[in-house]
Amino acid sequence: MESEKNFLSEYKIENYERPSVTADIVAFMVRNEAEKSYRKNSDNKLSVLLVKRGCHPFKNQWAVPGGFVKQNETIEECALREIIEETNVAPSALMPSLVFSKPDRDPRGRIISNSFISIISEEAVNAVGGDDACDADWFDISFTQDNNFFKLLLENSHTKLSALLKEKNHSFGRTYFEIIDTGMLAFDHAAIIASALSLLRIQAKDYDVIFDFLPEKFTLTALQRVQETILNVSVLPANFRRKISDYVIETNEFTVGAGHRPAKLFTRK
Amino acid sequence: MESEKNFLSEYKIENYERPSVTADIVAFMVRNEAEKSYRKNSDNKLSVLLVKRGCHPFKNQWAVPGGFVKQNETIEECALREIIEETNVAPSALMPSLVFSKPDRDPRGRIISNSFISIISEEAVNAVGGDDACDADWFDISFTQDNNFFKLLLENSHTKLSALLKEKNHSFGRTYFEIIDTGMLAFDHAAIIASALSLLRIQAKDYDVIFDFLPEKFTLTALQRVQETILNVSVLPANFRRKISDYVIETNEFTVGAGHRPAKLFTRK
DNA sequence: CAAATAGTGTCTCTAAGACAATATCAC
DNA sequence: GTGATATTGTCTTAGAGACACTATTTG
């Protein structure tokens, strides 16, 4: 009887069919719009990081950042490495989303994409400043449903991408999308973004992921705006505060010079 | 400037590092214990399908069923194919769980595991009968927490496997496990099972996945037992019925010959 | 004081949990 | 009738939503 040691020394992994594997990261940020009028709080926008592809396939089209998994790293490590390479910032959260594995999803051949959600605070992004290369940019997201169809609109000051998706399947709380129109996004990245966003919304409901969009110390109003921006709803401040009180600890610090009553700063519990 | 067509004709995917990729399926069933005493309803047990490995590595140890993804199928199709090969039954639900990708998780080399939860109704399993091969069997699960440690006990009439895990991380509602003791399960399958079970429990809370454990027509008590078995809790029948009423449609049929008041049969809404 | 946001108190309504009571079968 | 499960009704309590009100700052 063959021993396990002998078996392993004879085993040639390259004799078997192997796909390529990538980690692709949908990086979200909630950012403040430029302030409109004196003393008013600014509006927030949910935005996602896209990179303009410099090489084939889909050259010059926009895609979410990502790359091939190396032999000595986990897919999570790969995702973290790729998003840091792209932004120069360590994300405050990284969470697996879906795996995309249709055999023909990439014209180069069999490439399986492990998609991730990463969350980056605006403060962190501003600290490193924009990469002048201009091949990466944040796009404001609008994601609206009309019956079984979803319209994904990604927009920055130069470019507007509009993808159309259809709900293929809704099971166990997750929505699975089929692409009707890629909106000039590379590969199946329209579906990757839509899936990530619908997962982000699920998570944002239970007061978990929303903290990662803000610096360590924050006001309750800022936290409320993050949740409202992600979920595209609005709630009454009194009720939000009652509910969130279980998840935060108050500090002795306050905002200053805002032109109205100072707000107490809180930290996450 | 090179055209995309030229680029693709020159592109050799085999020049790049590629891992092997598997789909591994944690198949759950809720089964009735043998009835103890006259007229009493039987207890239920949550059980999971394991196969005894016939070849190296981990020869003769127990593992969850799975196999390598073929070039022309998605990982979901692979998972479906593998679980049907093993059970001769199409599962009533198949849902992605986590991806396991530690470079050294398989002694044969770099193999990434995409884990899935599948749910099979006891009725369907009984219909095809047990595979005499005896290399596959259902194990009753007990999964208990003691501070940050989790004990996973898998037991059938012949074998008892006891694995120990530690909570590595709890983020975004999911628990990530580190294996302390494999309990003689192959590879990192103790963590794959633990992760799947903790996801199953999350899903079972919102009256979704529980239907897949039962045939099309079922009694509300049976449905309640499924939820109680998975979550290891007990609820008052009156409250369960009030809550579940939104998710079911009553039929005109009743159970017969149970030795007590007949129960109305329902279907899923 | 005006404008704006920060923060508190409380009323109502709904949903969850507990528990009591009734219904219906096989023997 | 007895023993068992099936099913309904209702009391109490906790939480969500709505809304009115007070507090504090800058100019």
Side-chain angles (χ1 to χ4, degrees):
Chain A
M1 181 176 153
E2 193 185 31
S3 78
E4 176 153 344
K5 197 174 161 186
N6 283 340
F7 166 83
L8 289 173
S9 69
E10 297 295 324
Y11 188 87
K12 292 270 180 289
I13 204 164
E14 57 275 11
N15 290 346
Y16 301 88
E17 292 179 340
R18 286 167 297 147
S20 299
V21 175
T22 66
D24 291 301
I25 304 98
V26 185
F28 291 105
M29 170 173 76
V30 170
R31 58 175 170 183
N32 288 304
E33 289 280 277
E35 283 141 41
K36 295 193 265 257
S37 75
Y38 171 67
R39 285 198 285 197
K40 262 196 174 165
N41 274 3
S42 54
D43 267 358
N44 284 344
K45 292 274 191 181
L46 179 64
S47 52
V48 64
L49 183 67
L50 297 181
V51 296
K52 195 173 200 169
R53 289 184 58 79
C55 39
H56 293 298
F58 297 102
K59 190 169 175 175
N60 293 323
Q61 288 185 235
W62 293 91
V64 299
F68 292 95
V69 175
K70 295 192 193 303
Q71 286 295 87
N72 59 351
E73 66 183 1
T74 65
I75 53 166
E76 289 83 4
E77 287 162 354
C78 175
L80 194 60
R81 178 174 56 73
E82 294 285 347
I83 193 63
I84 291 176
E85 277 176 17
E86 205 59 60
T87 61
N88 296 314
V89 171
S92 31
L94 186 69
M95 149 173 63
S97 178
L98 293 178
V99 180
F100 293 80
S101 63
K102 280 213 190 110
D104 61 353
R105 60 175 292 280
D106 191 311
R108 288 169 293 184
R110 187 65 204 278
I111 300 181
I112 294 175
S113 164
N114 291 81
S115 72
F116 286 81
I117 292 176
S118 96
I119 297 167
I120 302 183
S121 77
E122 189 187 17
E123 191 199 37
V125 170
N126 290 343
V128 299
D131 197 344
D132 302 329
C134 214
D135 60 341
D137 200 7
W138 292 91
F139 285 68
D140 289 341
I141 301 181
S142 138
F143 189 59
T144 50
Q145 181 171 10
D146 177 14
N147 291 319
N148 273 6
F149 289 90
F150 292 80
K151 189 168 152 195
L152 175 66
L153 196 67
L154 303 170
E155 196 170 2
N156 69 9
S157 44
H158 311 295
T159 313
K160 194 168 174 172
L161 307 168
S162 176
L164 187 66
L165 303 112
K166 190 177 169 186
E167 178 177 323
K168 187 169 58 181
N169 192 332
H170 185 96
S171 58
F172 311 112
R174 299 284 313 252
T175 309
Y176 297 82
F177 297 97
E178 183 188 341
I179 296 174
I180 305 296
D181 177 352
T182 63
M184 291 302 284
L185 280 156
F187 306 104
D188 50 3
H189 286 193
I192 291 179
I193 295 169
S195 303
L197 180 53
S198 75
L199 176 57
L200 180 70
R201 285 187 171 164
I202 292 170
Q203 299 290 342
K205 273 177 197 147
D206 37 71
Y207 310 93
D208 188 354
V209 89
I210 54 175
F211 293 99
D212 296 310
F213 286 91
L214 295 174
E216 201 196 343
K217 290 173 184 169
F218 48 83
T219 67
L220 295 187
T221 303
L223 190 59
Q224 182 182 345
R225 292 282 172 272
V226 168
Q227 191 184 48
E228 289 177 332
T229 303
I230 295 171
L231 297 179
N232 203 25
V233 296
S234 68
V235 296
L236 295 173
N239 299 336
F240 180 83
R241 283 161 176 274
R242 183 174 52 204
K243 182 78 202 216
I244 205 68
S245 64
D246 298 337
Y247 302 93
V248 296
I249 302 167
E250 63 177 29
T251 69
N252 293 320
E253 297 173 55
F254 290 83
T255 57
V256 288
H260 49 72
R261 177 171 172 177
K264 184 169 270 192
L265 293 174
F266 290 77
T267 61
R268 182 176 194 168
K269 187 181 279 179
Chain B
M1 182 175 150
E2 193 186 33
S3 79
E4 175 150 347
K5 196 173 163 187
N6 284 340
F7 167 83
L8 288 172
S9 69
E10 297 294 323
Y11 187 87
K12 293 271 180 288
I13 203 164
E14 56 277 11
N15 290 348
Y16 300 87
E17 291 180 340
R18 286 167 297 148
S20 298
V21 174
T22 67
D24 291 301
I25 305 100
V26 184
F28 290 105
M29 171 174 75
V30 169
R31 57 174 169 182
N32 288 307
E33 289 280 278
E35 284 142 40
K36 295 194 264 259
S37 75
Y38 171 67
R39 286 195 286 193
K40 261 198 175 164
N41 274 3
S42 54
D43 267 359
N44 283 344
K45 291 275 190 177
L46 179 66
S47 53
V48 65
L49 183 67
L50 298 181
V51 297
K52 196 173 199 168
R53 289 183 58 79
C55 38
H56 292 298
F58 297 102
K59 190 168 175 177
N60 294 319
Q61 288 184 236
W62 293 91
V64 299
F68 290 95
V69 176
K70 295 190 192 303
Q71 286 295 85
N72 59 352
E73 67 183 359
T74 64
I75 52 166
E76 288 82 5
E77 288 161 355
C78 175
L80 195 60
R81 178 174 57 71
E82 294 285 348
I83 193 64
I84 291 176
E85 277 175 16
E86 204 59 58
T87 61
N88 297 312
V89 171
S92 31
L94 186 70
M95 151 174 58
S97 178
L98 294 178
V99 180
F100 292 81
S101 63
K102 278 213 190 111
D104 60 354
R105 60 174 291 281
D106 191 311
R108 288 169 293 184
R110 186 66 203 277
I111 300 181
I112 293 175
S113 163
N114 290 83
S115 71
F116 285 82
I117 290 176
S118 99
I119 295 167
I120 302 182
S121 77
E122 190 186 17
E123 191 197 38
V125 170
N126 291 342
V128 298
D131 198 343
D132 301 329
C134 213
D135 60 342
D137 199 7
W138 292 91
F139 286 67
D140 291 341
I141 301 180
S142 138
F143 189 58
T144 50
Q145 181 171 10
D146 177 14
N147 290 318
N148 273 7
F149 289 91
F150 291 80
K151 191 170 151 192
L152 175 66
L153 197 66
L154 303 170
E155 196 169 0
N156 69 7
S157 44
H158 310 296
T159 313
K160 193 167 175 174
L161 307 168
S162 175
L164 186 66
L165 303 112
K166 190 178 168 185
E167 179 177 322
K168 185 169 57 181
N169 194 331
H170 184 96
S171 58
F172 311 114
R174 301 280 316 250
T175 309
Y176 297 82
F177 297 98
E178 182 188 341
I179 297 175
I180 305 295
D181 178 353
T182 63
M184 292 303 283
L185 281 156
F187 307 103
D188 50 3
H189 287 193
I192 290 179
I193 295 169
S195 303
L197 180 53
S198 76
L199 177 57
L200 180 70
R201 285 189 171 163
I202 292 169
Q203 299 291 341
K205 274 177 197 147
D206 37 70
Y207 309 93
D208 188 355
V209 87
I210 54 175
F211 293 99
D212 297 310
F213 286 91
L214 295 173
E216 201 195 343
K217 290 173 185 170
F218 49 83
T219 66
L220 295 188
T221 303
L223 189 59
Q224 183 182 345
R225 293 280 172 273
V226 167
Q227 192 185 48
E228 290 177 332
T229 303
I230 296 170
L231 297 178
N232 202 25
V233 296
S234 68
V235 296
L236 294 173
N239 300 337
F240 181 82
R241 283 160 176 274
R242 183 174 52 204
K243 182 76 201 218
I244 205 69
S245 63
D246 299 337
Y247 303 94
V248 295
I249 303 167
E250 63 178 29
T251 70
N252 294 319
E253 297 172 56
F254 289 83
T255 56
V256 288
H260 48 73
R261 176 171 173 179
K264 183 169 272 194
L265 292 174
F266 289 78
T267 61
R268 183 178 193 165
K269 187 181 279 177

